[in-house]
Amino acid sequence: MAPPPASLPSFDELPLDKNGPFANAWGLFGERDQLGMLNLLTPETVKAAATEIKEGLRVSLDWHLSKPAHPFFGRQVFYHHMHTKFPRTVNDDI
């Protein structure tokens, strides 16, 4: 895990990787980093976050892909279809 930078740069100061997608911040935590902003989840920050717990309630973030029934923000309704690639023994999801 790469150590986090002392302070995060502003958006305009991000080290944009020309080979990456538009406005990426690849390289912020080092050239070989695989975690990105998850590098900020250090044991210290997790411990500090735990002090915020007041009631111990949990919220599941494991919704089925077809939820919500009416997608927000102009998104399409979820559609899933599996194509069999006969005679091969593989399937493609769409």
Side-chain angles (χ1 to χ4, degrees):
M1 182 158 79
S7 64
L8 295 175
S10 70
F11 184 81
D12 292 332
E13 297 169 334
L14 288 174
L16 301 180
D17 182 337
K18 303 300 183 224
N19 297 320
F22 173 73
N24 72 79
W26 294 356
L28 181 61
F29 294 96
E31 186 177 316
R32 299 181 56 82
D33 179 59
Q34 296 288 309
L35 298 176
M37 296 302 278
L38 290 176
N39 284 297
L40 300 180
L41 287 177
T42 64
E44 295 80 19
T45 58
V46 172
K47 183 178 179 182
T51 65
E52 299 286 326
I53 297 170
K54 304 292 184 222
E55 298 179 28
L57 300 175
R58 294 171 288 149
V59 177
S60 174
L61 300 177
D62 187 22
W63 263 10
H64 189 271
L65 292 174
S66 63
K67 303 291 184 195
H70 303 285
F72 304 113
F73 310 112
R75 294 181 177 150
Q76 295 178 347
V77 173
F78 176 75
Y79 171 76
H80 181 244
H81 182 77
M82 291 183 61
H83 291 277
T84 302
K85 300 280 190 163
F86 186 80
R88 299 180 330 185
T89 55
V90 298
N91 291 313
D92 275 349
D93 292 337
I94 293 180

